[in-house]
Amino acid sequence: MNEYEVHVVDAHIHIDGYKQAAVAELEASLNHPYLDYVIAVSMNLASCHHTEQWANRYPGKVLPAYGFHPEQALPSADEQEGLLAWLELYKESMIAIGEVGLPYYMREESQKRGDSFDRYPYIELLELFVQRAAAWDLPIVLHAVYDDAPIVVDLLERYSVRRAHFHWFKGDGKTISRMADNGYFISFTPDIHYEDEIRALARQYPVEQVMTETDGPWPFEGTYTGRHTMPIMAYDVAIEWAALQGMDILEASRLLRANAQRCYGV
């Protein structure tokens, strides 16, 4: 087998989040012969601008998604209006709406401090994104884990959104079954090599609804300790997922890329 036949997709990366010291390595990874393309998600309106710049530099290789990451303070009314106007302007050229979702980790930290946390305004904001994904027939990239996930699934079902991508997902068995039955996609990061919870999910979730991702520049442990997270690490994810499935890597890489194609229409 020619190893160059094994190609991968990084279905979730924060390409605008890399510090200058890592940019040259990032650019080399983007040009790697194994890497077909990346789905570059955004954090907020400023992030959308930066993601667009990367997409313009790497057409067909960096595919932009625009949204508002929930693990931060809510946008002001003006910021929200500006972001929604951006989505309207770029709805024909963006690959998806994302990253959007609910603030599980921020809420958890707030509750540990003994502070109150109102999740409802985040649900209201998420609904605006879900409505647009439905109206524009776009995939939606979701940050929704544990007890936030059923709320998000409820919203997706309410608006009949089918192309939903839950990245780096963690949740209960009932929600996992709902997601699988609805045809939603999930993706795995390099922690598939060492996280038991993730490895168990990788064995369980339907193989036709799985993708590879890195969530770069998020750092990983194990053999990745001290290394910059790069898009080509999706290759490592594909290899480990194939091993967990007892699948040939060439067959696995073709399936994983086909799944990404069905999710994102690439």
Side-chain angles (χ1 to χ4, degrees):
M1 180 183 69
N2 182 344
E3 62 182 353
Y4 281 80
E5 294 176 355
V6 180
H7 286 225
V8 293
V9 169
D10 184 349
H12 189 99
I13 186 173
H14 297 265
I15 202 163
D16 67 312
Y18 285 82
K19 295 181 180 179
Q20 189 60 41
V23 166
E25 188 179 355
L26 172 61
E27 291 175 335
S29 190
L30 288 172
N31 289 315
H32 198 290
Y34 296 179
L35 183 73
D36 283 0
Y37 59 86
V38 305
I39 305 296
V41 298
S42 305
M43 295 286 293
N44 49 37
L45 183 56
S47 176
C48 290
H49 285 277
H50 292 142
T51 301
E52 184 206 13
Q53 291 170 6
W54 277 99
N56 288 338
R57 286 175 59 195
Y58 288 89
K61 177 72 77 162
V62 174
L63 308 182
Y66 303 127
F68 185 88
H69 196 291
E71 300 285 355
Q72 58 185 320
L74 286 162
S76 67
D78 287 346
E79 289 169 339
Q80 178 175 307
E81 182 180 353
L83 177 57
L84 295 178
W86 176 277
L87 296 181
E88 180 72 35
L89 182 63
Y90 286 94
K91 66 184 180 183
E92 300 296 334
S93 59
M94 64 183 175
I95 198 70
I97 293 175
E99 177 176 1
V100 298
L102 296 178
Y104 175 83
Y105 297 105
M106 188 168 67
R107 179 166 56 90
E108 185 181 46
E109 288 301 315
S110 178
Q111 291 170 347
K112 284 181 180 177
R113 295 192 304 267
D115 299 331
S116 61
F117 190 97
D118 186 4
R119 183 169 53 180
Y120 187 70
Y122 287 89
I123 297 174
E124 288 186 314
L125 178 60
L126 175 59
E127 186 167 9
L128 296 177
F129 296 127
V130 172
Q131 288 172 341
R132 283 157 176 77
W136 300 339
D137 190 26
L138 282 171
I140 187 165
V141 189
L142 294 155
H143 170 97
V145 298
Y146 299 119
D147 62 327
D148 284 340
I151 298 172
V152 175
V153 173
D154 288 343
L155 276 175
L156 296 173
E157 290 176 345
R158 184 183 309 165
Y159 290 97
S160 300
V161 174
R162 303 299 297 180
R163 288 192 293 159
H165 172 195
F166 288 74
H167 99 99
W168 208 349
F169 180 76
K170 305 151 188 79
D172 64 86
K174 181 178 179 181
T175 304
I176 290 169
S177 294
R178 285 179 71 192
M179 290 165 53
D181 290 346
N182 286 342
Y184 303 153
F185 294 84
I186 64 173
S187 53
F188 295 105
T189 71
D191 72 355
I192 193 175
H193 284 269
Y194 56 83
E195 287 284 357
D196 289 342
E197 180 182 11
I198 300 301
R199 291 171 66 83
L201 179 58
R203 292 186 182 98
Q204 172 187 1
Y205 210 75
V207 297
E208 298 85 2
Q209 295 161 234
V210 170
M211 297 180 287
T212 51
E213 66 154 303
T214 65
D215 201 29
W218 185 268
F220 292 94
E221 301 172 11
T223 59
Y224 303 98
T225 301
R227 296 169 58 185
H228 292 136
T229 298
M230 291 294 150
I232 194 54
M233 288 180 181
Y235 185 89
D236 298 351
V237 179
I239 290 174
E240 188 62 18
W241 182 80
L244 291 173
Q245 297 294 332
M247 193 180 297
D248 173 78
I249 180 55
L250 181 55
E251 177 189 1
S253 70
R254 288 172 175 167
L255 176 59
L256 292 164
R257 294 192 334 265
N259 294 345
Q261 182 179 23
R262 285 189 295 108
C263 181
Y264 287 105
V266 179

